[in-house]
Structures are given as C-alpha cells and as structure tokens.
Amino acid sequence: MLRMQPFETHYPTTIDEAVTHLENLQGKAKLCAGGTDLIPNLKHGLHEPQAVVHIGRIKDLVTLEETADAIEIGAGVTLHNIAHHPLVLKYVPGLATAADAVAGPQLRRMGTLGGNLCLDTRCLYYNQTYFWREALGFCLKKDGSVCHVVQGGKKCVAATSNDTATMLLCLDAEVEINDASGPRWIPLPDLYKSDGADNLTLLPTEILTKVRIPKAKKNVARKEGFAKLRHRKSIDYPMLSVGVRIDLKDDKTIESAALIVNALAAKPRAIKLAPFFGKILDDEVINDIAALAQKRCRPLTNICDDPDWRKEMVSVFVKRAIANACGTHR
Ligand SMILES: Cc1cc2nc3c(=O)[nH]c(=O)nc-3n(C[C@H](O)[C@H](O)[C@H](O)COP(=O)(O)OP(=O)(O)OC[C@H]3O[C@@H](n4cnc5c(N)ncnc54)[C@H](O)[C@@H]3O)c2cc1C
Ligand code: SF4
C-alpha cells in the first residue's frame, strides 16, 4: 500500500482565508481541490508539503454564470458540471466536450476546472512510486539531476496533459488569480511556462479562482471542436489532446482561428493559423492545417507510445477536431 507522509490540513471557507493560509505557509503548502491529481502524487512522494489547504468548501469557487460578453466559471466547478451545464453547452460546446473527455466519470465528479488547469506535468519517469524512481535513478523534476527523456537535457520536458486547457486556450480564455493583494486577470497562455519541473507562473501564495471565456462576436459563425488520442476512451490521460476554434464570416471564409495541440511537452503548443485567414474552410485548407500542425509538433518519450506514431497521429486528430467542430465527423 502506498502511504502518504503526514501533513497538516486546513479547510478554508473563503478565498481570503485560503490565501492567508498560503501566505502563512510560504511555499510549504499544496492546494487540494478535487484531489484526483494531488493525492496520487502525494502517495508517490512527488510532493512533500507541510500542509494541504483544501479549497473544496469555498462557495465563491463554484459559480458558473453568463455576463454580457463572457461565460465565467469558478475554479472549483467540477468537470462533470461543466460538461453538462446549459450555458457551457450553448456558448462553449468545445469546452463541454473537452471536460467530458477527462479521465472517467468518478474522476470528473471530483476533479475541478482549477485543478485541471493547474495539473502537474506528467512523465513516464516521474509518475512512479518512490521505489521505482530510486531504482532507475531520480530525475531533474524530483530529487535528481538528469533527464531520462532528453539525454544531457538541462530542462524538464514533462508533458501538460490537461484537456480543458487545450480548449480554453483556443477560446482566448483569461484566468483570475488571487493573492493577499486581491484578484487580477491574466490571459491563460501566461499561466504556462516551458519548464516541465515547474510549468505554472503561479506563485505558491496564489490561487486560480475563476476562468472567463469571451463569447463569440455576433458577426461570425463559431465552430469549436476537440479530439483526443488515448488508449482507453473510458479513463486514460491524453497521448494527444487537440482543440480548434474557427470563426467563419458570412461568405464562409475564415475570419480568425486557433489550434492547440497538448500532451507534448511542458506547455500546450499553439499552431499559428494566420496564413489561412480569409480562405474558405474546404478539404484542401483542412489538409494544409493538419500538415502544418504535424510539422510543428514533436512528441517525445515523456509519455507512453512511440513518438513517431504520435507525430503521425497529429494530423489525423487535427482533422478529427475540425470535423467535430464542423459537425462532419470523420
Ligand atoms: C486515472 C486518471 C486519469 C486521468 N485522466 C485525465 C485526463 O484524461 N485528462 C486530464 O486532463 N486529466 C486527467 N486526470 C487528472 C485529474 O483527474 C484532472 O486533471 C482533474 O481535473 C484535476 O482536478 P482536481 O480538482 O482533482 O485537482 P487536484 O488534484 O486537487 O489539484 C491538482 C493540482 O492543481 C493545484 N490546484 C488545484 N486547484 C487549484 C487552484 N484553484 N489554484 C491553484 N492551484 C490549484 C493543486 O495544488 C495540484 O497541484 C486523470 C487522473 C487520474 C487519476
Ligand atoms: S522529462 Fe526528464 S526531468 Fe522531466 S520528469 Fe521526465 S525524465 Fe524527469
């Protein structure tokens, strides 16, 4: 049986109270929302916090509402509720699909949006027991000084595997961060950096409290789609997580579009689609977008299965995401 090291627990009921705990503990605490990522990681000895601050009792984190120009979702809303909420299904259906593709039903009922966006990066050489990691030799991300994925590498390339980030990045989402000085908003891309050992720009004294997704402009037809490569559709982490958002003008030409491929390295990969703006979204353009994405993505041995095969799959899953967006499932 895997045992956790002892730690103190705190159960704040307000954001201010939670922030105060984090301030007092100055980097020695871990936040716990649904715990579906944190608890296995504690059991594997990947974190050794002095305290765990459970934020599941904070009512202000479980709001989901519509404003004039956006949908705002509290960080504590579960993935199950996001996947089935009428406002999400109406305004951001791609997010509902992505949330519904995370893990399995029990985990989606516990797992939260904030926990998903702040999910620890994953690697075959990291998400293992202490015994396993010690036997192989520890690595840069925890307790060691080498990388087993990139020989001679000086930076960890463990993979982001959070499916809602894939879709929210396509949708130009922003996140609200709270600390002792109060709330501030940042664009979602600014939450991530390319160091797999520590891929969030959040400080240990900060909490992600809300996500804001702007509604589509009135003069465009928005298409959003998600597709995911994984072994078992019922539960597994992504081997590729692909999200696409395409805004079409009346004449069916692309006004703007975004494409994200996730589960590659420490940061979700944005594929720039500006060269396709102004073109009609026909088969030729779809093939060109898929080929461009495949060229730009370099899967590694950080997660399971052959990287060359996963690279081949990039174009397949980009086409599937676009087909899902356009309602022409392939
Ligand atoms: C078998 C299995 C399969 C899984 N498959 C997938 C999958 O396919 N796709 C996927 O995306 N995930 C998957 N997961 C991971 C996980 O279940 C989800 O990502 C879930 O959304 C995590 O949310 P949580 O609330 O449980 O996070 P927690 O475990 O509570 O927290 C995760 C991390 O985020 C931090 N955190 C939590 N909330 C906040 C906040 N508000 N502000 C700042 N930091 C915060 C925590 O400190 C911790 O480091 C899987 C997990 C398991 C066990
Ligand atoms: S990418 Fe390298 S350093 Fe990072 S967890 Fe994997 S083996 Fe460790």
Side-chain angles (χ1 to χ4, degrees), residues 48-284:
E48 293 140 311
Q50 176 189 316
V52 168
V53 178
H54 180 247
I55 52 176
R57 296 181 185 176
I58 303 178
K59 290 207 173 69
D60 284 346
L61 291 182
V62 289
T63 55
L64 199 166
E65 56 204 8
E66 177 180 6
T67 66
D69 52 7
I71 300 298
E72 294 192 356
I73 309 178
V77 178
T78 63
L79 299 168
H80 172 85
N81 285 347
I82 290 171
H84 295 92
H85 199 285
L87 284 176
V88 180
L89 291 165
K90 179 175 175 189
Y91 289 108
V92 277
L95 176 63
T97 312
D100 209 28
V102 172
Q106 295 91 340
L107 291 157
R108 288 195 293 274
R109 279 180 162 79
M110 290 300 293
T112 64
L113 183 60
N116 194 246
L117 291 177
C118 298
L119 189 70
D120 195 7
T121 52
R122 297 186 61 77
C123 177
L124 280 175
Y125 301 94
Y126 171 71
N127 296 99
Q128 304 288 353
T129 59
Y130 184 90
F131 175 79
W132 192 103
R133 289 182 292 115
E134 185 183 37
L136 179 74
F138 297 113
C139 76
L140 276 173
K141 185 161 161 73
K142 179 77 181 122
D143 301 326
S145 56
V146 295
C147 176
H148 301 300
V149 171
V150 180
Q151 299 302 322
K154 295 278 174 268
K155 200 152 115 179
C156 170
V157 291
T160 43
S161 305
N162 36 13
D163 291 304
T164 65
T166 308
M167 207 58 231
L168 286 169
L169 286 163
C170 294
L171 297 169
D172 299 326
E174 296 173 296
V175 286
E176 185 191 63
I177 309 294
N178 255 274
D179 66 6
S181 61
R184 69 192 161 91
W185 287 91
I186 61 167
L188 181 57
D190 292 356
L191 182 65
Y192 300 108
K193 51 187 168 132
S194 59
D195 180 1
D198 176 23
N199 84 324
L200 297 179
T201 55
L202 272 189
L203 298 175
T205 47
E206 295 178 326
I207 304 183
L208 191 158
T209 40
K210 210 181 264 183
V211 178
R212 178 160 64 205
I213 311 141
K215 289 180 188 169
K217 287 198 290 183
K218 291 250 163 21
N219 60 341
V220 297
R222 173 158 288 185
K223 312 279 179 197
E224 41 186 86
F226 175 82
K228 173 170 173 176
L229 171 66
R230 56 176 163 173
H231 284 146
R232 296 165 298 180
K233 240 180 161 181
S234 54
I235 190 156
D236 281 328
Y237 279 97
M239 292 190 286
L240 286 174
S241 176
V242 180
V244 68
R245 187 262 307 157
I246 304 167
D247 288 344
L248 295 176
K249 291 199 258 193
D250 282 349
D251 62 2
K252 307 284 181 223
T253 57
I254 301 172
E255 178 175 290
S256 75
L259 173 63
I260 300 289
V261 183
N262 207 349
L264 294 168
K267 234 178 132 170
R269 186 96 169 84
I271 312 295
K272 292 200 170 66
L273 296 184
F276 302 99
F277 295 179
K279 295 190 175 177
I280 292 196
L281 186 69
D282 55 18
D283 279 353
E284 192 183 334

